[in-house]
Amino acid sequence: MGLSESDKREFKDALYEAREAAERKSEEVENLKTELTETRDKWEKAQDRLDELETKMNRRDLDTDPGSDTAEMSDERKAFKSWINGANVSGEMYREHLYPGENKGETKDLSIGSGAGNQSDALAPVEFVEEIIKDAVEISPLRQAARTLQTERKQVEIPKLQGRPSAGFVGEGDNRADDTSLDFGVDNDDMLVIDTHEFFVEVPVTRQMIEDAVFDVEAEVRDVVTTEMDRLQGEKFLQGTGSGEPQGMITDTNFVSETTSDTSTDSIDAVSADELRTLPLRLKQRYRQNGQWGVTREALRHARTLEDSSGDYLFEPSLDASTPATIDGFEYVEMQDLVPSGTATQGDIPYVFGDYQRAYYVVDRLQMEVIRDPYTAKSSGKIEYHFRGRVGGDLALAEAVKGIEIA
């Protein structure tokens, strides 16, 4: 049943009246916004005027008689004029003229400087560079020059040829005798046995340092420890005792060195140019083909001063990136651990020459393992990092390398 005509008319009238009321309310709101904006502008202008008047009221007249052009200037005005003109008038002097008789309060200079309590810490902070300055660590590169093997066992055994057959000529119809001298060294006593030894570094780091440091502490610890492990291995591959550590190349009982003939000095100067030039010739030609000098930093300086009989230097500098520097025609690498003290004396071997690929074997069981232990030292707020590895090394073929020993 629909609405009657009267009901429809009554509904339309009510709807019209509601629309008119809404429009009137909207106009009232807009008028109120306008009035509020105008009132705020007037208030801000009045506030600015009050601030201006307050500033004028706080000003002091530096002249005792400002209206008179001929009046003598006051002491205060004279001090201010001198200060404006660049005279050596301190702030305290001006303050005494401006506020005579007033007690002086404590004053502090705001300056950029150093020392405890200086304002530079807060007002001019320094820039923190996220980089750690590290000194250079010398690592003997015998690992890179030697032959490297990988093993899954604690020990490796490498057969060493113990005997060769003897060839000869024979006439037609003559008997051919068996030659039983060939021996591949498969017996245990004839093998080169290289044990792998464990080495480690344990570094505790506080949790707060890891949390608060601006750089990656764990990455920095890993980098420093890796460098130290490389340094340790480089040292032991040359100077190791073979007991609980790799057997060093020059400390092996089978290593052969030539003793200097000059006995008047026990320094690096005892090594002559002739001894340096003839050392490679003491090796078989096959070893000389891949031969390379190993020198300390002191020995390298010494080699650069040596001359042959014609007056030519044995050291030949590099002319470009593709032509390395040489000592008497052979390339060299620095092995500082040949003489750990850095200064060669009697019994030291500052020069070695040889084919290190044939002479020395490095056996890797575990290059490096990192264990992060947050539990053991938790009571002291530390996390312990355990770095460990297992490696072995030994002189495999003594005839492939020789050294010069200072008498």
Side-chain angles (χ1 to χ4, degrees):
M1 180 176 179
L3 296 175
S4 63
E5 290 296 329
S6 61
D7 291 337
K8 292 180 179 179
R9 190 181 306 109
E10 192 173 325
F11 177 75
K12 288 182 179 179
D13 292 342
L15 183 62
Y16 179 75
E17 290 177 359
R19 184 180 300 168
E20 286 185 339
E23 291 177 352
R24 286 195 300 272
K25 287 293 184 182
S26 178
E27 290 177 358
E28 291 176 1
V29 170
E30 291 296 328
N31 292 335
L32 181 60
K33 288 181 178 180
T34 302
E35 291 177 0
L36 288 174
T37 301
E38 292 177 352
T39 302
R40 184 176 61 216
D41 293 342
K42 291 179 181 179
W43 171 261
E44 290 177 352
K45 290 180 180 179
Q47 187 65 39
D48 291 342
R49 181 58 179 165
L50 288 174
D51 292 341
E52 182 180 352
L53 292 174
E54 183 179 1
T55 301
K56 289 182 178 181
M57 291 175 64
N58 289 334
R59 289 176 180 169
R60 287 178 177 268
D61 190 357
L62 299 182
D63 199 343
T64 55
D65 188 7
S68 175
D69 294 338
T70 59
E72 184 179 357
M73 296 178 65
S74 65
D75 293 338
E76 294 85 353
R77 193 177 182 91
K78 290 178 182 179
F80 181 73
K81 183 177 180 181
S82 299
W83 179 66
I84 289 295
N85 291 334
N88 187 19
V89 180
S90 66
E92 288 299 324
M93 294 173 60
Y94 180 68
R95 185 180 180 86
E96 289 179 358
H97 287 293
L98 195 59
Y99 305 103
E102 181 177 328
N103 293 330
K104 298 180 182 179
E106 181 182 359
T107 62
K108 291 184 177 180
D109 292 334
L110 294 180
S111 60
I112 307 301
S114 60
N118 196 277
Q119 300 294 329
S120 61
D121 294 340
L123 303 182
V126 298
E127 179 181 0
F128 184 85
V129 179
E130 296 183 22
E131 178 181 335
I132 299 177
I133 299 175
K134 305 173 186 175
D135 58 341
V137 177
E138 293 181 310
I139 301 173
S140 295
L142 185 55
R143 166 184 280 276
Q144 288 73 29
R147 183 173 182 181
T148 303
L149 306 176
Q150 186 72 38
T151 183
E152 297 297 327
R153 300 288 186 266
K154 63 179 295 185
Q155 184 184 79
V156 297
E157 296 180 346
I158 307 173
K160 299 180 67 174
L161 185 63
Q162 300 296 313
R164 293 179 179 274
S166 299
F169 292 94
V170 65
E172 183 179 0
D174 292 344
N175 291 329
R176 275 77 170 170
D178 292 336
D179 191 329
T180 60
S181 58
L182 179 60
D183 184 358
F184 290 106
V186 295
D187 297 332
N188 290 336
D189 293 338
D190 297 334
M191 296 244 188
L192 173 64
V193 180
I194 303 179
D195 294 314
T196 57
H197 309 279
E198 182 172 347
F199 58 99
F200 81 100
V201 177
E202 184 177 303
V203 180
V205 182
T206 64
R207 291 177 178 271
Q208 291 190 13
M209 183 175 183
I210 296 175
E211 294 166 352
D212 300 339
V214 298
F215 52 84
D216 190 339
V217 174
E218 295 187 3
E220 291 295 336
V221 170
R222 180 187 293 267
D223 179 67
V224 173
V225 170
T226 300
T227 301
E228 169 57 18
M229 285 185 163
D230 291 342
R231 183 208 63 78
L232 175 66
Q233 293 180 66
E235 173 191 341
K236 297 306 179 182
F237 291 154
L238 287 172
Q239 296 281 353
T241 63
S243 177
E245 61 187 27
Q247 175 60 58
M249 183 177 71
I250 65 174
T251 54
D252 191 283
T253 56
N254 295 319
F255 180 80
V256 178
S257 59
E258 302 296 327
T259 306
T260 57
S261 59
D262 185 359
T263 58
S264 63
T265 177
D266 59 357
S267 69
I268 191 69
D269 294 330
V271 181
S272 67
D274 288 341
E275 290 169 337
L276 208 62
R277 298 195 69 182
T278 57
L279 184 66
L281 300 176
R282 298 182 184 277
L283 301 181
K284 296 177 181 179
Q285 190 269 341
R286 183 174 180 179
Y287 303 138
R288 292 201 306 271
Q289 288 179 344
N290 300 317
Q292 193 176 37
W293 284 104
V295 297
T296 65
R297 190 168 60 253
E298 180 193 37
L300 181 60
R301 293 197 303 268
H302 173 254
R304 298 197 66 164
T305 65
L306 296 179
E307 302 177 359
D308 60 17
S309 57
S310 302
D312 296 324
Y313 285 106
L314 300 187
F315 183 86
E316 299 175 7
S318 173
L319 300 179
D320 53 57
S322 62
T323 307
T326 61
I327 299 175
D328 198 31
F330 294 98
E331 297 180 21
Y332 68 88
V333 291
E334 291 189 44
M335 298 181 180
Q336 192 61 25
D337 290 305
L338 288 170
V339 182
S341 65
T343 303
T345 59
Q346 184 180 9
D348 287 331
I349 303 173
Y351 289 97
V352 293
F353 181 87
D355 181 353
Y356 306 114
Q357 280 277 332
R358 304 289 302 277
Y360 196 83
Y361 281 20
V362 174
V363 179
D364 284 320
R365 174 65 179 89
L366 178 66
Q367 289 201 6
M368 188 173 77
E369 178 185 59
V370 184
I371 300 175
R372 186 179 187 270
D373 180 7
Y375 305 111
T376 302
K378 66 180 184 298
S379 60
S380 58
K382 296 177 182 179
I383 296 177
E384 293 183 342
Y385 293 88
H386 302 265
F387 299 84
R388 59 184 291 269
R390 294 175 64 186
V391 69
D394 205 340
L395 181 64
L397 198 58
E399 67 174 21
V401 63
K402 285 189 182 339
I404 298 179
E405 180 179 344
I406 297 178

